[in-house]
PDB file of all heavy atoms in Angstrom:
ATOM      1  N   GLY A  21     112.539-171.072 -71.422  1.00  0.00           N
ATOM      2  CA  GLY A  21     113.553-171.737 -72.248  1.00  0.00           C
ATOM      3  C   GLY A  21     114.802-170.887 -72.415  1.00  0.00           C
ATOM      4  O   GLY A  21     115.902-171.552 -72.415  1.00  0.00           O
ATOM      5  N   SER A  22     114.719-169.659 -72.398  1.00  0.00           N
ATOM      6  CA  SER A  22     115.852-168.746 -72.542  1.00  0.00           C
ATOM      7  C   SER A  22     116.544-168.804 -71.184  1.00  0.00           C
ATOM      8  O   SER A  22     117.834-168.843 -71.139  1.00  0.00           O
ATOM      9  CB  SER A  22     115.394-167.356 -72.808  1.00  0.00           C
ATOM     10  OG  SER A  22     116.509-166.499 -72.575  1.00  0.00           O
ATOM     11  N   ALA A  23     115.899-168.772 -70.106  1.00  0.00           N
ATOM     12  CA  ALA A  23     116.532-168.756 -68.754  1.00  0.00           C
ATOM     13  C   ALA A  23     117.223-170.130 -68.445  1.00  0.00           C
ATOM     14  O   ALA A  23     118.314-170.148 -68.048  1.00  0.00           O
ATOM     15  CB  ALA A  23     115.417-168.481 -67.731  1.00  0.00           C
ATOM     16  N   LEU A  24     116.536-171.178 -68.744  1.00  0.00           N
ATOM     17  CA  LEU A  24     117.097-172.524 -68.467  1.00  0.00           C
ATOM     18  C   LEU A  24     118.201-172.674 -69.397  1.00  0.00           C
ATOM     19  O   LEU A  24     118.133-172.452 -70.551  1.00  0.00           O
ATOM     20  CB  LEU A  24     116.065-173.578 -68.636  1.00  0.00           C
ATOM     21  CG  LEU A  24     114.908-173.527 -67.658  1.00  0.00           C
ATOM     22  CD1 LEU A  24     114.025-174.770 -67.920  1.00  0.00           C
ATOM     23  CD2 LEU A  24     115.395-173.672 -66.221  1.00  0.00           C
ATOM     24  N   GLY A  25     119.263-173.275 -68.882  1.00  0.00           N
ATOM     25  CA  GLY A  25     120.416-173.496 -69.834  1.00  0.00           C
ATOM     26  C   GLY A  25     121.566-174.119 -69.065  1.00  0.00           C
ATOM     27  O   GLY A  25     121.477-174.642 -68.015  1.00  0.00           O
ATOM     28  N   LEU A  26     122.734-173.933 -69.708  1.00  0.00           N
ATOM     29  CA  LEU A  26     123.952-174.462 -69.048  1.00  0.00           C
ATOM     30  C   LEU A  26     124.085-173.806 -67.738  1.00  0.00           C
ATOM     31  O   LEU A  26     124.751-174.307 -66.866  1.00  0.00           O
ATOM     32  CB  LEU A  26     125.168-174.112 -69.927  1.00  0.00           C
ATOM     33  CG  LEU A  26     125.177-174.890 -71.258  1.00  0.00           C
ATOM     34  CD1 LEU A  26     126.166-174.305 -72.215  1.00  0.00           C
ATOM     35  CD2 LEU A  26     125.405-176.325 -70.976  1.00  0.00           C
ATOM     36  N   GLY A  27     123.555-172.600 -67.558  1.00  0.00           N
ATOM     37  CA  GLY A  27     123.548-171.886 -66.304  1.00  0.00           C
ATOM     38  C   GLY A  27     123.027-172.801 -65.108  1.00  0.00           C
ATOM     39  O   GLY A  27     123.621-172.760 -64.049  1.00  0.00           O
ATOM     40  N   ASN A  28     121.981-173.547 -65.367  1.00  0.00           N
ATOM     41  CA  ASN A  28     121.489-174.401 -64.298  1.00  0.00           C
ATOM     42  C   ASN A  28     122.274-175.680 -64.034  1.00  0.00           C
ATOM     43  O   ASN A  28     122.521-176.051 -62.933  1.00  0.00           O
ATOM     44  CB  ASN A  28     120.023-174.867 -64.601  1.00  0.00           C
ATOM     45  CG  ASN A  28     119.088-173.745 -65.067  1.00  0.00           C
ATOM     46  OD1 ASN A  28     119.302-173.051 -66.075  1.00  0.00           O
ATOM     47  ND2 ASN A  28     118.144-173.433 -64.190  1.00  0.00           N
ATOM     48  N   SER A  98     125.704-160.975 -76.562  1.00  0.00           N
ATOM     49  CA  SER A  98     125.118-162.246 -77.032  1.00  0.00           C
ATOM     50  C   SER A  98     126.159-162.956 -77.894  1.00  0.00           C
ATOM     51  O   SER A  98     126.311-164.082 -77.831  1.00  0.00           O
ATOM     52  CB  SER A  98     123.721-161.997 -77.807  1.00  0.00           C
ATOM     53  OG  SER A  98     124.088-161.460 -79.108  1.00  0.00           O
ATOM     54  N   ILE A 101     128.837-164.339 -75.383  1.00  0.00           N
ATOM     55  CA  ILE A 101     128.305-165.604 -74.697  1.00  0.00           C
ATOM     56  C   ILE A 101     128.266-166.746 -75.734  1.00  0.00           C
ATOM     57  O   ILE A 101     128.692-167.870 -75.391  1.00  0.00           O
ATOM     58  CB  ILE A 101     126.943-165.321 -74.121  1.00  0.00           C
ATOM     59  CG1 ILE A 101     126.923-164.225 -73.062  1.00  0.00           C
ATOM     60  CG2 ILE A 101     126.326-166.666 -73.513  1.00  0.00           C
ATOM     61  CD1 ILE A 101     125.625-163.906 -72.424  1.00  0.00           C
ATOM     62  N   TYR A 105     129.520-170.423 -75.189  1.00  0.00           N
ATOM     63  CA  TYR A 105     128.363-171.273 -74.814  1.00  0.00           C
ATOM     64  C   TYR A 105     128.185-172.402 -75.956  1.00  0.00           C
ATOM     65  O   TYR A 105     127.821-173.524 -75.593  1.00  0.00           O
ATOM     66  CB  TYR A 105     127.105-170.333 -74.837  1.00  0.00           C
ATOM     67  CG  TYR A 105     125.949-170.819 -74.046  1.00  0.00           C
ATOM     68  CD1 TYR A 105     125.798-170.271 -72.703  1.00  0.00           C
ATOM     69  CD2 TYR A 105     125.048-171.642 -74.547  1.00  0.00           C
ATOM     70  CE1 TYR A 105     124.728-170.688 -71.889  1.00  0.00           C
ATOM     71  CE2 TYR A 105     123.966-172.057 -73.683  1.00  0.00           C
ATOM     72  CZ  TYR A 105     123.839-171.593 -72.435  1.00  0.00           C
ATOM     73  OH  TYR A 105     122.764-171.896 -71.672  1.00  0.00           O
ATOM     74  N   LEU A 233     125.656-164.296 -61.810  1.00  0.00           N
ATOM     75  CA  LEU A 233     124.965-165.508 -62.107  1.00  0.00           C
ATOM     76  C   LEU A 233     123.440-165.183 -62.239  1.00  0.00           C
ATOM     77  O   LEU A 233     122.751-165.789 -63.205  1.00  0.00           O
ATOM     78  CB  LEU A 233     125.133-166.557 -61.032  1.00  0.00           C
ATOM     79  CG  LEU A 233     124.335-167.890 -61.256  1.00  0.00           C
ATOM     80  CD1 LEU A 233     125.004-168.676 -62.461  1.00  0.00           C
ATOM     81  CD2 LEU A 233     124.565-168.833 -60.049  1.00  0.00           C
ATOM     82  N   PHE A 235     122.093-162.480 -63.354  1.00  0.00           N
ATOM     83  CA  PHE A 235     121.831-161.850 -64.671  1.00  0.00           C
ATOM     84  C   PHE A 235     122.061-162.916 -65.782  1.00  0.00           C
ATOM     85  O   PHE A 235     121.153-162.937 -66.665  1.00  0.00           O
ATOM     86  CB  PHE A 235     122.857-160.712 -64.928  1.00  0.00           C
ATOM     87  CG  PHE A 235     122.390-159.434 -64.239  1.00  0.00           C
ATOM     88  CD1 PHE A 235     122.901-159.009 -63.107  1.00  0.00           C
ATOM     89  CD2 PHE A 235     121.472-158.623 -64.885  1.00  0.00           C
ATOM     90  CE1 PHE A 235     122.488-157.813 -62.475  1.00  0.00           C
ATOM     91  CE2 PHE A 235     121.036-157.447 -64.320  1.00  0.00           C
ATOM     92  CZ  PHE A 235     121.561-157.047 -63.105  1.00  0.00           C
ATOM     93  N   PHE A 236     123.110-163.725 -65.711  1.00  0.00           N
ATOM     94  CA  PHE A 236     123.261-164.719 -66.775  1.00  0.00           C
ATOM     95  C   PHE A 236     122.108-165.759 -66.673  1.00  0.00           C
ATOM     96  O   PHE A 236     121.563-166.074 -67.854  1.00  0.00           O
ATOM     97  CB  PHE A 236     124.571-165.346 -66.413  1.00  0.00           C
ATOM     98  CG  PHE A 236     124.955-166.461 -67.490  1.00  0.00           C
ATOM     99  CD1 PHE A 236     125.635-166.104 -68.625  1.00  0.00           C
ATOM    100  CD2 PHE A 236     124.691-167.838 -67.289  1.00  0.00           C
ATOM    101  CE1 PHE A 236     126.008-167.060 -69.540  1.00  0.00           C
ATOM    102  CE2 PHE A 236     125.061-168.780 -68.195  1.00  0.00           C
ATOM    103  CZ  PHE A 236     125.681-168.356 -69.327  1.00  0.00           C
ATOM    104  N   LYS A 237     121.701-166.136 -65.585  1.00  0.00           N
ATOM    105  CA  LYS A 237     120.644-167.185 -65.441  1.00  0.00           C
ATOM    106  C   LYS A 237     119.439-166.773 -66.059  1.00  0.00           C
ATOM    107  O   LYS A 237     118.720-167.470 -66.769  1.00  0.00           O
ATOM    108  CB  LYS A 237     120.363-167.473 -63.981  1.00  0.00           C
ATOM    109  CG  LYS A 237     121.089-168.558 -63.282  1.00  0.00           C
ATOM    110  CD  LYS A 237     120.973-170.007 -63.834  1.00  0.00           C
ATOM    111  CE  LYS A 237     119.793-170.334 -64.524  1.00  0.00           C
ATOM    112  NZ  LYS A 237     119.775-170.371 -65.873  1.00  0.00           N
ATOM    113  N   LEU A 238     119.038-165.477 -65.729  1.00  0.00           N
ATOM    114  CA  LEU A 238     117.695-165.042 -66.202  1.00  0.00           C
ATOM    115  C   LEU A 238     117.806-164.303 -67.599  1.00  0.00           C
ATOM    116  O   LEU A 238     116.884-163.646 -67.984  1.00  0.00           O
ATOM    117  CB  LEU A 238     117.002-164.176 -65.199  1.00  0.00           C
ATOM    118  CG  LEU A 238     116.710-164.933 -63.827  1.00  0.00           C
ATOM    119  CD1 LEU A 238     116.199-164.018 -62.748  1.00  0.00           C
ATOM    120  CD2 LEU A 238     115.694-166.008 -64.143  1.00  0.00           C
ATOM    121  N   SER A 239     118.977-164.422 -68.249  1.00  0.00           N
ATOM    122  CA  SER A 239     119.139-163.818 -69.505  1.00  0.00           C
ATOM    123  C   SER A 239     118.856-162.333 -69.547  1.00  0.00           C
ATOM    124  O   SER A 239     118.082-161.851 -70.364  1.00  0.00           O
ATOM    125  CB  SER A 239     118.206-164.477 -70.585  1.00  0.00           C
ATOM    126  OG  SER A 239     118.209-165.856 -70.505  1.00  0.00           O
ATOM    127  N   LEU A 240     119.492-161.593 -68.598  1.00  0.00           N
ATOM    128  CA  LEU A 240     119.023-160.129 -68.463  1.00  0.00           C
ATOM    129  C   LEU A 240     120.220-159.220 -68.730  1.00  0.00           C
ATOM    130  O   LEU A 240     121.345-159.555 -68.718  1.00  0.00           O
ATOM    131  CB  LEU A 240     118.637-159.933 -66.983  1.00  0.00           C
ATOM    132  CG  LEU A 240     117.309-160.735 -66.580  1.00  0.00           C
ATOM    133  CD1 LEU A 240     117.064-160.483 -65.072  1.00  0.00           C
ATOM    134  CD2 LEU A 240     116.170-160.182 -67.411  1.00  0.00           C
ATOM    135  N   MET A 242     120.853-157.652 -71.466  1.00  0.00           N
ATOM    136  CA  MET A 242     121.554-157.764 -72.812  1.00  0.00           C
ATOM    137  C   MET A 242     120.512-157.849 -73.989  1.00  0.00           C
ATOM    138  O   MET A 242     120.945-158.212 -75.103  1.00  0.00           O
ATOM    139  CB  MET A 242     122.457-158.916 -72.839  1.00  0.00           C
ATOM    140  CG  MET A 242     121.810-160.152 -72.281  1.00  0.00           C
ATOM    141  SD  MET A 242     122.544-161.578 -73.003  1.00  0.00           S
ATOM    142  CE  MET A 242     122.108-161.419 -74.646  1.00  0.00           C
ATOM    143  N   THR A 244     117.925-159.828 -74.554  1.00  0.00           N
ATOM    144  CA  THR A 244     117.183-160.973 -74.922  1.00  0.00           C
ATOM    145  C   THR A 244     115.708-160.922 -74.584  1.00  0.00           C
ATOM    146  O   THR A 244     114.852-161.187 -75.329  1.00  0.00           O
ATOM    147  CB  THR A 244     117.739-162.282 -74.208  1.00  0.00           C
ATOM    148  OG1 THR A 244     119.144-162.433 -74.454  1.00  0.00           O
ATOM    149  CG2 THR A 244     117.063-163.541 -74.502  1.00  0.00           C
ATOM    150  N   ASP A 269     112.856-171.263 -62.709  1.00  0.00           N
ATOM    151  CA  ASP A 269     114.316-171.303 -63.023  1.00  0.00           C
ATOM    152  C   ASP A 269     115.110-171.768 -61.782  1.00  0.00           C
ATOM    153  O   ASP A 269     115.990-172.641 -61.829  1.00  0.00           O
ATOM    154  CB  ASP A 269     114.857-169.983 -63.598  1.00  0.00           C
ATOM    155  CG  ASP A 269     116.361-170.139 -63.949  1.00  0.00           C
ATOM    156  OD1 ASP A 269     116.667-170.839 -64.935  1.00  0.00           O
ATOM    157  OD2 ASP A 269     117.160-169.449 -63.229  1.00  0.00           O
ATOM    158  N   ALA A 327     118.254-177.875 -72.538  1.00  0.00           N
ATOM    159  CA  ALA A 327     118.397-176.522 -71.870  1.00  0.00           C
ATOM    160  C   ALA A 327     119.288-175.605 -72.619  1.00  0.00           C
ATOM    161  O   ALA A 327     119.047-174.427 -72.830  1.00  0.00           O
ATOM    162  CB  ALA A 327     118.768-176.642 -70.393  1.00  0.00           C
ATOM    163  N   ALA A 328     120.463-176.160 -73.028  1.00  0.00           N
ATOM    164  CA  ALA A 328     121.410-175.395 -73.701  1.00  0.00           C
ATOM    165  C   ALA A 328     120.842-174.909 -75.107  1.00  0.00           C
ATOM    166  O   ALA A 328     121.074-173.681 -75.423  1.00  0.00           O
ATOM    167  CB  ALA A 328     122.699-176.160 -73.931  1.00  0.00           C
ATOM    168  N   ALA A 331     118.259-172.086 -74.652  1.00  0.00           N
ATOM    169  CA  ALA A 331     118.888-170.821 -74.294  1.00  0.00           C
ATOM    170  C   ALA A 331     119.642-170.212 -75.513  1.00  0.00           C
ATOM    171  O   ALA A 331     119.573-168.990 -75.711  1.00  0.00           O
ATOM    172  CB  ALA A 331     119.921-171.065 -73.167  1.00  0.00           C
ATOM    173  N   LEU A 332     120.252-171.046 -76.249  1.00  0.00           N
ATOM    174  CA  LEU A 332     120.996-170.570 -77.450  1.00  0.00           C
ATOM    175  C   LEU A 332     120.065-169.922 -78.494  1.00  0.00           C
ATOM    176  O   LEU A 332     120.453-168.904 -79.072  1.00  0.00           O
ATOM    177  CB  LEU A 332     121.774-171.659 -78.074  1.00  0.00           C
ATOM    178  CG  LEU A 332     123.219-171.761 -77.583  1.00  0.00           C
ATOM    179  CD1 LEU A 332     123.813-173.195 -78.068  1.00  0.00           C
ATOM    180  CD2 LEU A 332     124.060-170.635 -77.989  1.00  0.00           C
ATOM    181  N   SER A 334     117.501-168.187 -77.919  1.00  0.00           N
ATOM    182  CA  SER A 334     117.236-166.865 -77.442  1.00  0.00           C
ATOM    183  C   SER A 334     118.438-165.953 -77.587  1.00  0.00           C
ATOM    184  O   SER A 334     118.320-164.695 -77.779  1.00  0.00           O
ATOM    185  CB  SER A 334     116.684-166.820 -76.012  1.00  0.00           C
ATOM    186  OG  SER A 334     117.758-167.072 -75.092  1.00  0.00           O
ATOM    187  N   LEU A 335     119.683-166.457 -77.489  1.00  0.00           N
ATOM    188  CA  LEU A 335     120.801-165.704 -77.679  1.00  0.00           C
ATOM    189  C   LEU A 335     121.016-165.266 -79.179  1.00  0.00           C
ATOM    190  O   LEU A 335     121.308-164.201 -79.465  1.00  0.00           O
ATOM    191  CB  LEU A 335     122.062-166.524 -77.325  1.00  0.00           C
ATOM    192  CG  LEU A 335     122.373-166.529 -75.793  1.00  0.00           C
ATOM    193  CD1 LEU A 335     123.301-167.654 -75.453  1.00  0.00           C
ATOM    194  CD2 LEU A 335     123.002-165.199 -75.322  1.00  0.00           C
ATOM    195  N   VAL A 338     118.660-162.351 -80.601  1.00  0.00           N
ATOM    196  CA  VAL A 338     119.008-160.947 -80.417  1.00  0.00           C
ATOM    197  C   VAL A 338     119.654-160.267 -81.622  1.00  0.00           C
ATOM    198  O   VAL A 338     119.083-159.328 -82.234  1.00  0.00           O
ATOM    199  CB  VAL A 338     119.773-160.723 -79.143  1.00  0.00           C
ATOM    200  CG1 VAL A 338     120.152-159.239 -78.886  1.00  0.00           C
ATOM    201  CG2 VAL A 338     119.111-161.258 -77.898  1.00  0.00           C
ATOM    202  N   MET A 399     126.495-157.559 -68.566  1.00  0.00           N
ATOM    203  CA  MET A 399     125.121-157.820 -68.215  1.00  0.00           C
ATOM    204  C   MET A 399     124.637-156.983 -66.955  1.00  0.00           C
ATOM    205  O   MET A 399     123.627-156.371 -67.008  1.00  0.00           O
ATOM    206  CB  MET A 399     124.778-159.268 -68.026  1.00  0.00           C
ATOM    207  CG  MET A 399     125.099-160.095 -69.380  1.00  0.00           C
ATOM    208  SD  MET A 399     124.989-161.842 -69.236  1.00  0.00           S
ATOM    209  CE  MET A 399     123.285-162.151 -69.421  1.00  0.00           C
TER     210      MET A 399
HETATM  211  N1  LIG B 501     120.095-168.080 -69.197  1.00  0.00           N
HETATM  212  C1  LIG B 501     120.973-168.925 -69.935  1.00  0.00           C
HETATM  213  C2  LIG B 501     121.573-170.001 -68.999  1.00  0.00           C
HETATM  214  O1  LIG B 501     121.352-169.970 -67.833  1.00  0.00           O
HETATM  215  C3  LIG B 501     122.062-168.218 -70.627  1.00  0.00           C
HETATM  216  C4  LIG B 501     121.687-167.023 -71.411  1.00  0.00           C
HETATM  217  C5  LIG B 501     122.210-165.790 -71.101  1.00  0.00           C
HETATM  218  C6  LIG B 501     120.759-167.113 -72.341  1.00  0.00           C
HETATM  219  C7  LIG B 501     121.840-164.646 -71.762  1.00  0.00           C
HETATM  220  C8  LIG B 501     120.350-166.011 -73.117  1.00  0.00           C
HETATM  221  C9  LIG B 501     120.835-164.747 -72.718  1.00  0.00           C
HETATM  222  O2  LIG B 501     122.210-170.849 -69.417  1.00  0.00           O
END
Side-chain angles (χ1 to χ4, degrees):
S22 168
L24 294 182
L26 294 169
N28 308 67
S98 77
I101 296 176
Y105 207 95
L233 181 65
F235 279 99
F236 183 84
K237 270 300 331 102
L238 297 173
S239 317
L240 295 173
M242 49 152 297
T244 302
D269 181 68
L332 267 170
S334 75
L335 279 161
V338 177
M399 299 170 88

